[in-house]
Structures are given as structure tokens and as C-alpha cells.
Amino acid sequence: MQLKHYSLTLLTILVVFFTACQDEEYALPTLEGGLHNDCIKRTLGPNVVGLNLEFAYAMALPQAEGKIISAQVEASIAGAPATYMENRSFSTSASGADVPVTVGSASVNTGTKTEVVFSKDTCAATLRYYYIIPEEARGKTVKFTFSAKASNGQTVSYEMGPYSIAKMDMKLDLVLSDNNNSYISIADMAVYNAASAATNAANIDLVYLYRVIPGITFTHALVSPASSPDYLPGITLPSGVNKSTKIWKVWALRDQHLARLQFGVFIDDIDFEKLNFTGAPDYAINLRAEAGTWVETADGKYRAYIYCNSINNTAKTMTVSIKRYPMQ
Amino acid sequence: MKKYFLTFIAITLVTFAWVSCTDFPVDEDGLLITTRGQCYVGNFELLGVDFQTVRTKAAVIDTTAQTINVEVFFGTDLKNVYPQFSLVTDAKLDPKIVGKVDFSDLANPKVYTVISGNRLVKKPYTVYVTVQAKP
């Protein structure tokens, strides 16, 4: 028994030594021939109409085999007119800055295709593609086929997607002003003054006001027109403005699309779908910068997130950005 | 060799048997019942749906009268607040707080019972909420 154990141990040690003494000689890697390509998506978060989807498409072949003559992207749904592909390839300088090198003529959009024809004799390039999400893509999925051609006749392609395009809308930097542009319409994604609010009474969902009341903290507020007069001090509502909007107050939900700050937080369609407004109040007072409110319109047609970008106590203003999701 | 192995197994079994027979009493919530008899609330917080405090100042906790008095900001949505109790070590609260609580019925203040670590002492605390008055 003991002898067997010794033999086994000795054998193990020998195997380890033998393996450790294997001489691994370095060999230069062999260059793989032919045209190759790769692609990454650079944008994060939900894909909202009007924003872009950014990709970096890389293509290369050995110098001896030829040069790249064109790069093309075909989207399943044509991008908005501003869609383009960079005709410059970027490298990174020692200080980390992007250094562009023009490799071809400006991209041309033809239907669903975007193409760059190379004018420089180059065998490797990485081009960025900016797909501006069109209205037609709302609520659908979109996918892309990147392809490149080389002077030796070779072609390569790379599929990306499908990517879901959000149903929600977005409006940035609406300036609310106490006693002036203080009426918010979620349906219109707009702010109105009292006169305009009277003509759009059916669409007014919230009233903005700023009050300094001794003994209590009121300051900046978003209040439903049908709320208690306690929360609308000094407000005479235009005729017909009487909706009851549900509001949940939120703190520090800094959606990156709305806030444009460093926080990697995004509100997506599913967040609106999962909200529960049962028992929600119809007012939110004492709002601060970087606060927000989830809102549901009286008819239940829309849900929205109103983010407070900034407040100004002197000017009695509040700048907000809105994401809105249609529930029906 | 075999003898050593059997001895090792025997010691392991005895250790396991001894540990499993040691008495660690737990209550119906699976919490350890200890020897502590202290039973009081150390701190009280009230948060709004945005998880920010709705108190205007620190809550006044009277451990003799077993009351908690807290004033909240004007406009606080008392139907949707999260109470937070800090209890003495090993104590627990009844009823448990599992989400938002409706404190809007100011005429009928809510009562929470603190139960000591040894589960023998129970003290009901009444939470009186007042809203900052509008001048």
C-alpha cells in the first residue's frame, strides 16, 4: 500500500518536471490572408427616434494583396437623411485624442444604403457609421449589414442587430416659467403660457409654479390642474384646464439622455410599462435640480418622466427634459 | 493507515453530532432568540416615495410613554411613505414593514410593537404624525 503511494507521488512529480521543462519556442504569427472585417456598436442605452446608433466598422487585408476600394452599410429601415458614414479613419494620439485620416469621399446615402468610396491607397481602415433613427423605425427592430470591397475582388460582410427602437419620445430643455410658460402638455410635449393653455385646455396636464411661503417648503412645484387649491396658491387656471394627472416624485434618477450627465442610467420603454400609479398623488412640490417625476395623464394615454435639469430661484424658472411613452 | 482513517472519521462524526445537538433557538421568523431583554426604539425615519426624508426635524421618541412624534413637510403624501425604525439589538418589530405605509389617518395613529431579543418583552409604540401647517 505504502509502496504504491510512493510510486504514484514519484510519477506525478516526474510528469510535472517533464512538463515544466518543455521548451516553448516563440514563433512569429503567420499573417492570415484575405480581406477581414469586424464591427462594434458604440452607443449605449435605449434607441430613441432622433438619436443615433453609432458603430465602428473595421476592415483590413494584407498590403501585398491589394487595397480597400469601398465600405458600405445597408440598414433594414432607411436612416433619417442625416445618417452618414465617416470618410475618415481615426487613430489615437499619445494624449488620447482621435486623429483623423481621410480615406475616401464623403458617404452617399441611397435608399437604405450608405457607402464610402475609398480614394486613399489603404489596406486597413476603421470607419464610424452614424445611423440617425427615423420616425418609421419607432417600435420596430432594425439591423445592419456592413460590407467592404477590396481591389483584388474580395468582399466581406458583417451583420449587426437586430436592435429594438423605442416607442418613447423625447423632448429636451423645455423652460418653465412661473406665471408665464407654466402649463405643460404631455400630449403635445410642449409648454404654454396662460393664453395658449386656454386654447389647448384639453391637453394641459401640469402647472408649474414657484412659491416662497414662510414656514413651509414649497419652492418649485409641478401640480395637476385638478389638485387641491392648497397646492396651487395664487393660480387662476385658464378656462377648461382641469385635468387630474398622477405624479410620483423621484430623486436622482438621472437618465443620461435627459440629464446628459456622467451617470450611465437610461429609462427605457419597459420602465414606463411597469409603473404602478395606484394611489399616486396629483402634485409634487419642493422639486430640486436632478429630481424628477413619473407622470400619467388623466386619460391614461401617456406616461412620462419629467427630469428637472436646473432651477433658478431668482428668475423663478425650471428647465425640464421629458421622455414620454404612449400607453395606448 | 486504516486505523488513522477510522479515527479521523469517528472524530468528525462526533463533532457533527455535538454541533447539531447544540441549542440555538429561533423564533417563527427564523430569527435568533437571545438573552437580551431590552426593548425600545432608538431612531425613527419617514421617507417619501423618492426615498428622501419627509421629516422637518428629528422625531421625538419617548421610550417611557412609548410614543414617537414626527412632524412632516407641508404637502407630504402621507398615503405613500416608508417608515424606518432603528431598534435595540436583537429586537424586532410587529407588524413588519414590507413596503409603503398609509399614515394619512392622523386621527388614528399607527401602533408598532417592539419585541425584545428574548421575545419576552413587548412594547407598543404609537406614531403621531403632524403636518407642517400652512400659515
Side-chain angles (χ1 to χ4, degrees), chain A:
Chain A
M1 180 80 175
Q2 210 169 20
L3 192 65
K4 268 186 189 172
H5 276 276
Y6 279 128
S7 306
L8 190 65
T9 310
L10 193 63
L11 186 66
T12 310
I13 290 169
L14 278 175
V15 167
V16 170
F17 268 82
F18 176 77
T19 312
C21 292
Q22 284 280 328
D23 196 10
E24 290 177 9
E25 280 187 23
Y26 175 75
L28 278 171
T30 315
L31 179 64
E32 201 179 333
L35 180 62
H36 291 270
N37 67 165
D38 200 354
C39 190
I40 57 165
K41 180 173 175 280
R42 285 170 59 89
T43 41
L44 298 172
N47 309 309
V48 182
V49 172
L51 298 182
N52 66 43
L53 280 173
E54 184 188 344
F55 299 88
Y57 179 55
M59 62 220 98
L61 78 166
Q63 197 174 10
E65 292 185 21
K67 60 179 183 178
I68 300 164
I69 57 169
S70 71
Q72 178 183 281
V73 189
E74 182 167 10
S76 58
I77 300 172
T83 295
Y84 72 103
M85 193 177 207
E86 272 284 4
N87 59 340
R88 299 173 298 170
S89 187
F90 290 88
S91 60
T92 309
S93 72
S95 58
D98 279 349
V99 181
V101 179
T102 303
V103 294
S105 52
S107 68
V108 177
N109 292 334
T110 313
T112 57
K113 293 176 185 170
T114 303
E115 187 179 32
V116 168
V117 176
F118 280 55
S119 55
K120 281 275 171 65
D121 184 358
T122 182
C123 62
T126 299
L127 302 185
R128 294 177 189 177
Y129 172 61
Y130 299 87
Y131 176 78
I132 312 299
I133 303 170
E135 184 60 42
E136 300 80 59
R138 188 186 298 280
K140 298 175 185 165
T141 58
V142 61
K143 57 185 179 180
F144 303 90
T145 306
F146 291 80
S147 58
K149 277 183 199 164
S151 58
N152 63 4
Q154 287 188 339
T155 59
V156 281
S157 66
Y158 203 103
E159 298 278 337
M160 293 293 279
Y163 302 103
S164 297
I165 306 300
K167 285 167 76 179
M168 63 188 163
D169 287 303
M170 207 168 74
K171 193 88 173 187
L172 301 177
D173 301 326
L174 295 168
V175 180
L176 298 162
S177 167
D178 187 40
N179 284 327
N180 188 12
N181 289 326
S182 48
Y183 296 91
I184 304 174
S185 168
I186 300 296
D188 299 345
M189 294 282 268
V191 296
Y192 296 113
N193 59 22
S196 304
T199 57
N200 293 283
N203 289 340
I204 302 300
D205 300 295
L206 291 166
V207 183
Y208 163 74
L209 65 157
Y210 174 80
R211 296 287 182 275
V212 177
I213 302 170
I216 64 170
T217 313
F218 197 100
T219 67
H220 301 267
L222 292 175
V223 182
S224 163
S227 187
S228 160
D230 281 350
Y231 304 119
L232 291 164
I235 296 284
T236 305
L237 294 169
S239 172
V241 174
N242 56 11
K243 291 277 173 66
S244 179
T245 309
K246 290 174 181 167
I247 305 170
W248 286 126
K249 214 170 155 183
V250 186
W251 172 244
L253 176 49
R254 291 163 287 212
D255 176 272
Q256 200 176 72
H257 287 149
L258 303 179
R260 287 148 282 163
L261 296 172
Q262 72 274 30
F263 308 103
V265 175
F266 295 92
I267 292 170
D268 207 340
D269 287 357
I270 194 166
D271 298 307
F272 292 104
E273 288 163 12
K274 291 199 168 180
L275 284 172
N276 181 358
F277 280 90
T278 308
D282 56 4
Y283 62 91
I285 66 171
N286 191 22
L287 291 169
R288 293 172 281 164
E290 298 190 17
T293 51
W294 292 109
V295 170
E296 186 180 70
T297 56
D299 55 7
K301 197 173 172 186
Y302 294 108
R303 286 180 177 175
Y305 180 69
I306 303 176
Y307 176 76
C308 177
N309 296 93
S310 64
I311 54 170
N312 186 326
N313 294 349
T314 311
K316 299 180 181 178
T317 60
M318 182 159 84
T319 303
V320 298
S321 297
I322 304 175
K323 269 186 175 178
R324 178 191 70 170
Y325 182 76
M327 293 298 291
Q328 296 165 8

Side-chain angles (χ1 to χ4, degrees), chain A residues 1 213-218 229-231 233 248-251 278-281 283 285 288, chain B residues 1 48-52 56 71 73-80 100 131-135:
Chain A
M1 180 80 175
I213 302 170
I216 64 170
T217 313
F218 197 100
D230 281 350
Y231 304 119
W248 286 126
K249 214 170 155 183
V250 186
W251 172 244
T278 308
Y283 62 91
I285 66 171
R288 293 172 281 164
Chain B
M1 186 71 183
V49 287
D50 56 355
F51 302 110
Q52 300 293 295
T56 58
E71 185 190 66
F73 288 114
F74 170 80
T76 299
D77 174 25
L78 282 172
K79 286 186 176 176
N80 299 289
K100 286 184 285 192
V131 181
Q132 196 178 38
K134 193 178 174 186

